[in-house]
């Protein structure tokens, strides 16, 4: 199987676990069976929104979901049976350092569900803790090798959180960090991760305000013959306006093949439905409309 994935890829992510449990439901700590089932039912509303968007015209060949096993096993099995692209999240939720959700059994869990992609979320700053970065990279290379040996694709979500000294260098201005510091750090991170033998097929990349920064990240991702490797823009829970800006900046840049926008798509409709302000079907239709809007923005900006 060749490295890379360069077809359009429009992902609806709802693999959120700890943050979803605490912020949407207000449930800290271990869940009861009933609570677990309620979160799973809520995720089915999001999945129904995805399917409604396909029914309304989003191309199945370009669409996909990102989901977790804990609350989404039933959804994964249905999506795989219908031929949708499915990315399965593999990391432990809410940790600063990447580790496998199911430890040494990670491969068994992937094979059991047979998704298109294995996905990891990784916090990596080249100027942060070197020892931790090296520990993460060993695990991430192991996963990279396993996925490709077993004919799965690899989605790598790269977050580059600021160190205290980096924030201090811009006088604590987070927006300035995002615009002036983070883009260069992202390129360095991509190079270091590749040099550690980790080979994602798709990089899930934090949004960038400037098109030229998108181009630099894409060049890093595709360097040294990785011509088919793609980038997708993640939404990071930002508001609609910011997501639109990020999609418009990235669309049409060679190597950018789509997006993965989750909370901005589903959070408000799900919250309104849970608080009995709207009916379930209204939530489904609003999620579908939001997802379709991102597709339209990305495709229009790419063609224009």
């Amino acid at each position: 199987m060749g490295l890379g994935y360069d077809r359009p890829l429009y992902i609806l992510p709802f693999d959120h676990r700890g943050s979803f449990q605490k912020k949407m439901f207000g449930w800290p700590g271990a869940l009861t069976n009933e609570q677990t089932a309620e979160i799973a039912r809520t995720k089915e509303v999001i999945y129904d929104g995805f399917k409604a968007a396909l029914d309304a015209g989003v191309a199945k060949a370009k669409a996909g979901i990102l989901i977790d096993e804990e609350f989404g096993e039933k959804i994964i099995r249905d999506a795989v049976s219908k031929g949708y692209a499915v990315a399965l999240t593999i990391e432990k939720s809410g940790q600063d350092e990447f580790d496998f959700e199911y430890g040494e059994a990670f491969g068994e869990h992937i094979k059991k569900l047979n998704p298109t992609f294995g996905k990891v979320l990784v916090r990596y700053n080249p100027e942060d803790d070197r020892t931790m970065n090296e520990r993460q990279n060993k695990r991430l290379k192991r996963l990279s090798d396993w996925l490709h040996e077993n004919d799965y694709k690899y989605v790598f979500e790269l977050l580059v959180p600021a160190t205290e000294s980096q924030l201090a260098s811009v006088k604590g201005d987070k927006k300035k960090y995002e615009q002036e510091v983070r883009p260069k750090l992202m390129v360095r991170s991509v190079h270091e991760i590749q040099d550690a033998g980790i080979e994602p097929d798709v990089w899930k990349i934090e949004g960038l305000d400037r098109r030229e920064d998108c181009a630099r990240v894409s060049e890093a991702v595709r360097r040294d013959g990785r011509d088919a490797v793609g980038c997708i823009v993640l939404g990071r829970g930002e508001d609609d306006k910011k997501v639109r800006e990020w999609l418009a900046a990235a669309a049409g840049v060679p190597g950018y093949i789509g997006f993965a926008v989750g909370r901005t798509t589903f959070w408000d409709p799900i919250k309104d439905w849970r608080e009995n302000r709207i009916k379930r079907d209204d939530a489904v239709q609003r999620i579908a409309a939001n997802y379709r809007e991102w597709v339209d923005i990305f495709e229009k900006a790419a063609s224009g």
Side-chain angles (χ1 to χ4, degrees):
M1 183 172 70
L3 178 68
Y5 188 97
D6 57 359
R7 305 196 296 278
L9 185 60
Y10 309 144
I11 287 182
L12 176 53
F14 50 115
D15 60 324
H16 312 76
R17 286 158 290 161
S19 61
F20 200 69
Q21 172 190 329
K22 294 183 190 83
K23 292 177 185 173
M24 178 67 75
F25 293 82
W27 295 336
L31 295 172
T32 66
N33 290 339
E34 291 78 11
Q35 288 171 327
T36 300
E38 187 171 341
I39 294 176
R41 281 194 299 273
T42 303
K43 291 202 173 196
E44 286 181 12
V45 180
I46 304 169
Y47 180 48
D48 285 351
F50 169 79
K51 291 186 288 184
L54 270 60
D55 289 343
V58 173
K60 176 182 172 182
K62 301 176 181 180
I65 60 170
L66 166 56
I67 182 74
D68 59 290
E69 179 179 342
E70 182 181 3
F71 302 118
E73 181 169 351
K74 181 182 168 189
I75 291 168
I76 294 165
R77 292 189 185 282
D78 185 76
V80 169
S81 76
K82 288 181 165 63
Y84 302 145
V86 177
L88 173 67
T89 195
I90 293 167
E91 79 277 353
K92 277 186 183 171
S93 178
Q95 294 204 161
D96 287 338
E97 178 175 348
F98 167 80
D99 205 352
F100 295 102
E101 168 75 3
Y102 295 105
E104 291 298 309
F106 73 88
E108 295 164 36
H109 282 262
I110 296 166
K111 283 187 168 178
K112 175 181 79 172
L113 296 172
N114 198 31
T116 321
F117 306 92
K119 168 261 173 188
V120 294
L121 180 150
V122 181
R123 293 170 177 87
Y124 190 104
N125 186 315
E127 293 179 359
D128 205 352
D129 184 340
R130 299 290 316 172
T131 309
M132 184 181 83
N133 285 347
E134 285 167 12
R135 276 198 310 268
Q136 293 192 112
N137 282 348
K138 282 183 183 147
R139 296 179 193 124
L140 293 160
K141 180 185 184 326
R142 185 179 170 201
L143 178 62
S144 178
D145 294 344
W146 187 93
L147 287 168
H148 292 139
E149 284 163 10
N150 288 277
D151 280 347
Y152 296 100
K153 295 290 188 181
Y154 194 6
V155 174
F156 194 107
E157 177 174 352
L158 173 66
L159 303 181
V160 186
T163 64
E164 285 182 18
S165 61
Q166 287 164 352
L167 263 186
S169 75
V170 290
K171 298 185 172 59
D173 186 337
K174 289 183 179 173
K175 189 173 179 185
K176 200 169 182 185
Y177 168 78
E178 297 280 335
Q179 291 185 332
E180 297 180 13
V181 182
R182 177 164 63 82
K184 297 184 186 76
L185 291 171
M186 292 168 83
V187 170
R188 283 176 57 193
S189 298
V190 168
H191 287 173
E192 286 188 11
I193 290 161
Q194 291 168 333
D195 289 346
I198 300 154
E199 296 292 354
D201 299 282
V202 177
W203 290 79
K204 191 166 174 259
I205 294 287
E206 292 179 273
L208 293 160
D209 293 337
R210 294 189 289 248
R211 199 170 182 79
E212 56 267 31
D213 288 328
C214 294
R216 288 187 191 102
V217 169
S218 182
E219 284 164 13
V221 160
R222 291 191 153 196
R223 73 177 176 137
D224 297 341
R226 298 175 176 89
D227 301 340
V229 174
C231 293
I232 56 177
V233 181
L234 66 92
R236 216 172 62 179
E238 280 286 358
D239 61 30
D240 299 17
K241 181 175 180 289
K242 197 73 204 169
V243 169
R244 288 188 194 100
E245 290 170 4
W246 284 342
L247 293 179
V253 172
Y256 271 85
I257 59 173
F259 58 81
V261 179
R263 283 169 293 172
T264 320
T265 309
F266 68 72
W267 194 270
D268 288 347
I270 290 293
K271 198 164 171 35
D272 285 347
W273 166 65
R274 279 189 43 78
E275 293 172 4
N276 294 316
R277 286 194 287 271
I278 60 174
K279 292 188 166 67
R280 186 188 191 281
D281 192 55
D282 296 327
V284 167
Q285 294 306 321
R286 275 174 56 188
I287 291 164
N290 290 340
Y291 174 68
R292 285 196 340 261
E293 182 184 2
W294 314 136
V295 174
D296 291 345
I297 289 167
F298 192 86
E299 292 194 334
K300 187 176 177 185
S303 64

